Every structure is written in C-alpha cells, then in structure tokens.
DNA sequence: GATTAGCACTCGATCGGTTTGAGTGCTAAC
DNA sequence: GTTAGCACTCAAACCGATCGAGTGCTAATC
C-alpha cells in the first residue's frame, strides 16, 4: 500500500517522464510548486518506490523511470482523465457531421482523426459481421465462364469476388440460383448462414442444377471472408517521432507488424468491452513490448461491432488517450446504432 | 565520350558500391580478376570520371561513389540484365498458377511477391478503369431511407457505397430506376458514362421519378470513384534494412509518403509505356530524392491498365529489378488479356 | 606516351583518458 | 520525520593521439 505522498511522487514522476522522456531526478520533482519536500525526502521515497518495483534506474547516477508495474499503478489509480480538449471535440464533431458513404469510409476516417489528434498510431478493427445478416445476394455474369458474386449485409457492407461458372450452366440457371439463394438466405445472420446453406439450400439447389458443389463452395468461402473483420491503420510512422525509438532496428519490428494483418487481429482478439490498457510486456506480441496499447470497443444496440485502439510508447499520455477513446467509442456506437435502423 | 576502360571502371565501381554500400577505392577495383591495371592507373581514370560528373567523393580520403549522373550512365549503357533467376521464375509461376478471385487480390499479391523477391518496396497502381465499361448497376435497399449502390465493371471490378433514399420514392420506383439505368448504361465505357448520364438518362429519369437530381449526383460520384485507380504497397519497411537509411529522419519522410496515396499517384502520373527508371532527384518528390524508382506498365490488348514499380535506394540492384519488372509486367499483361475475354 | 611504383598528404574513424555534471545514498544535525 | 551536507557513481561530452584507407603527384619504367 502506498502512502499519499508516495502516490503523489509516483504520479509526478510518471507525468514528468511522459512529458520529457528523460529520467526524472529528485530535484526536479521537489521544485514543482505542488511539492513541499526537499530533494532528500523525495529521494528516500523514490528508493522505497524502486524497492516496490514501481520505479527503475537506468544507471546509478541517473534519475528514475517508471517500470511497467509503475505505469500500471499509475493507470489504475493515479491517472487524471482530463476529458477531451475543446478543440478536439470540435474536430470530432466535424467527423460525425460528415456523410459517411461506406462502412469502410467511416472507420478509416475515424482512424485518421485519432492518429492526428494523438500523434500515435491508431488501429481500428471492424466491423464484426458475425451478428449481421445477409441482405442480398447477386451474381453478375461477365462472360460465358466467369461472374462476380456480390454479398450485401444488412449493415450496408459489401463483399465481392470473381467466380468461374461451371460448364453447362446457362444464364437462366444462374437467375434461378440467385433467386433461390435470396429466398432462402436473406435475413439469416452470417453465423448461421453456413449451416442453413448445407441443410436447406444444398438439396434444393441440386434439383435445379448439376455441379452445384462448386457454387456452394464459393459461397461458403465468400461468407467466411465476409465474416473477417478488417483492420484500418493510420499514423504508422508516428512512432518514429518518439525519442526512445530513434533506433531503426527497434522500429522495424513494429512497422513490420503493421504489414501483417493477422498479427494485429491476434492482438485485438478477445478483448473485453470498454477501455483496456496493455502496457509493455503485458501485450501478447514481443514486437510491441516497449509499447502500450489502449483499446475501446464500440457496438450498436449492445452488439459488439469493433475495436478502436491507440498504440504508442509505454511513455504515452494515458490520460489524454483514454479520454479520447472513451469519447469516440461512445459516439461511434451511437452513430452505428442509428445507422442500423 | 567514355573510353572502353573508363566504362569498365565505372561499371565496376557501381557494381561494387551496389553490393557493399561503401565508397569504392582504386585498390579494390584493381584487385578484381577482370581488371589488369594498377591502382594508380585506376586512380587517374577515376579522377577523370569525377571531373565528368559521373563519380563523387564523400571526402578527400575516401573512395568514390557514383553520382546520379553516374547511375544514369550505368543504367543507360552498362547495366547487364541478368534475366530472372530460376528460383524467382518459380515463385512467379506460383503466383500465376493461383486462382485470382478479385482484381484486387491479384494486384496486391503481385506487390507482395515483388517486394519479397527484391527486398525493396513495391508499388502497384491499377487498374485504370478509364477504358473499361459498366456491366451492371444495382441498388439494394437496406431500409426505408438508405440503400447500397453497386457498380460492376466488365473487368469484374466492383465499387459500392451507401446512399440515402430521397423521401417519397418507393420500392417499385427504385426497381424502375435500376432497370432504366441498366438499359441505358450497360456496356458504356466509364469515360463516356457521365455524358450519357446527362444526355440520355436525366430526362427519362425525371419522367418516372421526382427528386432525381440526388440520384444522378450520387451516380456521378460513384463513377468518379470507380475511375480512380488504387494503390497497393508492399515491403514498405524494407528501406529500413538499407545501411544508408539508418537515420530515422531520412526514413520518416519516405514512410510518410507511403501513407499519402495522392502523392504516390502523382509519382506515377503520365509515365510512358515500358520500363522507366527514375534516379534520385530525377523523381518529382523530394521525399525520395535519395531513392530510385523503376516502373513498368502492364496492359490488356494494348489498353494500358496499370503500373508496377519498385522503390529502393539509388544504390539499387538495377539489373535484377529491371529484369524482374519486365518479366512480371509482360506476364501480367497476358494474364489480364486472357481475363478480359 | 602510357603505366606504375613510391611517397607525402588528407581526413574520418577509433581509442584511451579527462572532465563535467546530474543524480544518488548515507549520515548527522535540526 | 525532515533535511543539509557530502562523498560517490557513471554516462556523456570533450580532447588529443593514432590509425589506416585512400588520394594526388612525381619520377622511374616499359
């Protein structure tokens, strides 16, 4: 258990270090107007905090730096959520005022704004289509052998792919298939689609057309792709402006990760609702062991839709980022709830 | 005009420097088995080459480094196109064997492979839809007030966006509109679509439905978006492995550029057909004044479709990259020509 | 006349040593 | 319990010496 004074000193050190990126000495703390103790007293407390594992010393004659545990304590007990700056609220208003033509547009735009407001990297994962349902299915023939299959979800999400048409299937066959599929599948949630496809559609389809396995397989694949949420990144190079990432090698592994969507998905897997903070080694991936990831989920009518996240150095402005993510995720949830109806 | 010996020395220096990234001295050149002159002779020639502006000296007591002009001469007259390595041909075969479901899939996959084979950054711009035509238009209503508009090109390219439905338009109106548009617009190339929309469709549409300006505006916008070629990047972090880009600041401006699609498009604007090499400051953007960009166009049946490019340091393996791009662009042209039919 | 051996010279890189200064821990006085 | 005082530590900055890769020039050689 920390004394009031220890908490205040820890808080001051973390705040200072977040601002300056330099180890914080006892003198500079005692100079602060809200601190009434001499450097020597501070030093004693700092030694205790270090013993508890909340602070670290890069070397004996340097100031202190928060440890992962120190950041954790700070985030859990000390951080002041200043709320969102007037100016930032304004920027965000602009975002929501704009007409969003796509799902993708809105989400990627949100990512851009987030990275600009924070100067960190923003990651947005969405939308989960697991609970959305099929609105419309369409096959547009391009020529005798190939066609475009288009799947529209009730959220307005569109997925498409080129498919080849099996020999011996004519235009009217295709129309029949499309009609059948729309009849049987429209309104079915994606997570049930696969089983419905097998149980109800397969038999019926085989009555109309030969070689229908091919079509079924294609449909299944499309459904699976559709179910995969997409990742949007913005401000990937912002990490380069951080003094602790001057070294190219440190940065490389992080930037490499950004090119690997599956790794990012893994990072976001099974995050609980609300705001989550993962500090340094608390993250699953070694590449970002020197980074912190703050995430917030957004949803529509209680259905989880996706996650927005900010990745920055462990020395991140937690107060600002948490406030911002909280604000934005709630607004996005509202936006999408409205959109849903 | 260069003597045979000067050409050989220049070639040796460029080759060496490309391999080692270190300034090349006279001794190391004269040691090569195919060079029969003493370091002193080489030095004299090097001094002459420097006077001509083909070589540069970082400082008096260092070896020589090719200048932009030197690389230019090398690329224009000296580079040996070794052809594509057996192993790389194999990898590329694998690429073309795979079934491509989308346009996007094929192009982005090509980008990935290119960056892996070269260890540079690959940029693929495509496809130009300017000369492709509209295959199918579809409006899928989501609810009373919004719908998804879907445009399918004859290449299988799909563009979509959410639109809001003006008050007072019912489901059967929408069906009428869709039918009309498909009747009038199917088969029309995109670059003529806008004028046809105004001349033929507008009047007819106003007969059916009130408030049709909204729908027309939306269509126009979609067509313009569709016409915009897309940019695919891969291996954006490869530049970080180059010794001359150890400095974070140098790298930042390049990586920042990768996040700005319009800048990349600008870079690729109005490139002539075939292989193009832009060395250092020959590039339009200051951010890549220390890089070279090699591009190759691909087409289907003579219609230009897009461009593939490799961005690397000026100290790039020109022979390998040029061969590779030449090979791949030709294969892609074939692939898409077949696809077209 | 072209080539090359020889040599003085240049200059960045590296290495060891010194100095500086920010910061600490400990002790003793308040 | 707090703090002034002091010895101590150690990275960073500074400095000069040395090293060595590479050059340009000149004179000897082929």
């Amino acid at each position: 258990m920390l004394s009031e004074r220890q908490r205040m000193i820890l808080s001051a050190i973390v705040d200072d270090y977040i601002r300056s990126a330099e180890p914080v000495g006892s003198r500079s703390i005692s100079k602060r107007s809200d601190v009434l103790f001499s450097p020597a007293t501070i030093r004693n407390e700092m030694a205790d905090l270090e013993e508890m594992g909340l602070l670290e010393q890069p070397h004996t004659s340097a100031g202190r730096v928060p440890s992962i545990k120190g950041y954790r304590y700070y985030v859990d007990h000390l951080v002041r959520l200043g709320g969102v700056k007037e100016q930032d609220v304004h920027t965000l208003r602009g975002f929501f005022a704009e007409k969003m033509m796509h799902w993708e547009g809105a989400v990627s735009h949100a990512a851009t704004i987030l990275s600009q407001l924070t100067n960190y990297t923003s990651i947005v994962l969405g939308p989960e289509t697991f609970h959305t349902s099929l609105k419309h299915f369409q096959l547009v023939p391009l020529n005798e052998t190939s066609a475009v299959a288009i799947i529209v979800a009730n959220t307005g999400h569109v997925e498409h792919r080129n498919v080849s048409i099996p020999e011996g299937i004519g235009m009217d066959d295709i129309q029949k298939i499309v009609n059948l599929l729309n009849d049987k599948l429209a309104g079915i949630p994606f997570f049930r689609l696969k089983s419905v496809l097998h149980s109800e559609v397969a038999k019926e389809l085989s009555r109309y057309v030969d070689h229908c396995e091919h079509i079924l397989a294609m449909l299944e694949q499309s459904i699976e792709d559709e179910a995969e949420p997409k990742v949007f990144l913005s401000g990937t190079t912002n990490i380069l402006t951080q003094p602790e990432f001057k070294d190219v090698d440190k940065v490389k592994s992080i930037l490499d990760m950004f090119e690997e969507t599956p790794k990012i998905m893994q990072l976001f897997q099974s995050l609980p609702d609300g705001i989550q903070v993962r500090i340094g080694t608390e993250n699953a991936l070694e590449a970002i062991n020197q980074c912190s990831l703050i995430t917030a989920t957004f949803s529509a009518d209680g259905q989880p839709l996706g996650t927005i996240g900010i990745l920055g150095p462990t020395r991140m402005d937690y107060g600002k980022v948490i406030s911002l993510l909280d604000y934005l995720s709630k607004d996005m949830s509202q936006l999408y709830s409205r959109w849903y109806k």
Side-chain angles (χ1 to χ4, degrees), chain A:
Chain A
M1 200 51 211
L2 298 190
S3 71
E4 191 54 40
R5 191 166 73 190
Q6 285 174 324
R7 292 156 59 101
M8 176 224 259
I9 289 173
L10 176 58
S11 174
I13 290 174
V14 175
D15 284 339
D16 246 45
Y17 187 62
I18 284 175
R19 226 177 343 96
S20 70
E22 304 273 310
V24 183
S26 54
R27 228 176 90 87
S28 66
I29 294 289
S30 102
K31 266 190 190 160
R32 291 170 59 128
S33 59
D34 56 336
V35 175
L36 303 168
F37 308 96
S38 76
T41 310
I42 312 271
R43 278 205 288 282
N44 286 329
E45 297 286 26
M46 281 161 101
D48 288 349
L49 288 169
E50 186 172 357
E51 232 163 66
M52 288 183 246
L54 297 169
L55 295 180
E56 281 171 355
Q57 244 180 329
H59 52 266
T60 17
S61 70
R64 301 305 210 289
V65 159
S67 68
I68 305 274
K69 209 173 149 193
Y71 283 122
R72 170 52 58 198
Y73 191 92
Y74 175 84
V75 167
D76 288 345
H77 303 106
L78 305 175
V79 67
R80 284 180 312 179
L81 302 180
V84 183
K85 268 196 289 179
E86 188 57 43
Q87 195 187 333
D88 294 355
V89 170
H90 205 76
T91 311
L92 290 167
R93 282 278 144 73
F95 162 60
F96 287 107
E98 225 175 287
K99 274 228 167 153
M100 293 301 157
M101 292 291 105
H102 297 355
W103 237 123
E104 281 88 355
V107 175
S108 84
H109 192 186
T112 309
I113 287 185
L114 260 185
S115 71
Q116 279 169 1
L117 289 183
T118 58
N119 263 314
Y120 302 123
T121 303
S122 71
I123 306 174
V124 181
L125 189 78
E128 284 285 0
T129 50
F130 190 72
H131 285 95
T132 63
S133 58
L134 181 77
K135 189 77 189 183
H136 186 79
F137 175 77
Q138 179 88 14
L139 262 178
V140 179
L142 296 173
N143 49 44
E144 288 74 34
T145 59
S146 66
V148 182
I150 298 172
I151 290 176
V152 183
N154 65 340
T155 53
H157 194 80
V158 175
E159 193 80 21
H160 65 93
R161 52 171 45 216
N162 282 34
V163 297
S164 53
I165 305 174
E167 297 259 341
I169 293 194
M171 289 296 154
D172 44 342
D173 286 331
I174 287 178
Q175 199 50 54
K176 271 187 217 157
I177 295 171
V178 170
N179 288 340
L180 174 69
L181 289 172
N182 274 315
D183 268 9
K184 293 281 179 191
L185 299 181
I188 308 270
F190 278 100
F191 73 97
R192 286 191 48 223
L193 220 47
K194 228 170 141 175
S195 63
V196 174
L197 205 59
H198 280 121
S199 64
E200 299 194 23
V201 179
K203 273 180 231 155
E204 192 109 13
L205 196 61
S206 61
R207 223 181 293 161
Y208 286 109
V209 197
D210 298 339
H211 318 292
C212 62
E213 313 81 27
H214 181 85
I215 293 176
L216 276 176
M218 180 277 292
L219 267 172
E220 260 180 50
Q221 187 59 49
S222 301
I223 289 163
E224 265 167 29
D225 284 4
E226 162 76 22
E228 193 101 315
K230 296 212 172 84
V231 173
F232 298 85
L233 293 171
S234 180
T236 51
T237 65
N238 283 349
I239 196 83
L240 296 176
T241 63
Q242 302 294 340
E244 59 263 60
F245 289 94
K246 278 247 168 72
D247 182 18
V248 170
D249 297 330
K250 268 190 199 165
V251 156
K252 175 97 170 33
S253 57
I254 299 174
L255 293 181
D256 279 347
M257 187 197 67
F258 291 151
E259 282 207 350
E260 290 181 66
T261 319
K263 286 217 168 163
I264 294 176
M265 307 245 262
Q266 178 191 334
L267 210 57
F268 276 66
Q269 218 138 56
S270 61
L271 281 172
D273 274 12
I275 303 268
Q276 289 294 316
V277 182
R278 294 272 151 87
I279 299 161
T281 48
E282 293 173 10
N283 285 294
L285 290 181
E286 200 181 328
I288 56 166
N289 270 352
Q290 313 229 26
C291 297
S292 284
L293 176 66
I294 307 184
T295 53
T297 53
F298 61 95
S299 51
D301 297 325
Q303 290 291 2
L305 283 182
T307 311
I308 57 184
I310 291 286
L311 185 74
T314 46
R315 189 185 61 73
M316 181 195 277
D317 188 340
Y318 292 94
K320 177 181 173 180
V321 172
I322 291 174
S323 303
L324 201 58
L325 282 186
D326 186 51
Y327 185 95
L328 182 61
S329 65
K330 281 176 183 158
D331 265 10
M332 280 181 77
S333 293
Q334 267 186 33
L335 177 73
Y336 283 119
S337 294
R338 239 181 297 139
W339 216 345
Y340 242 106
K341 285 171 201 157

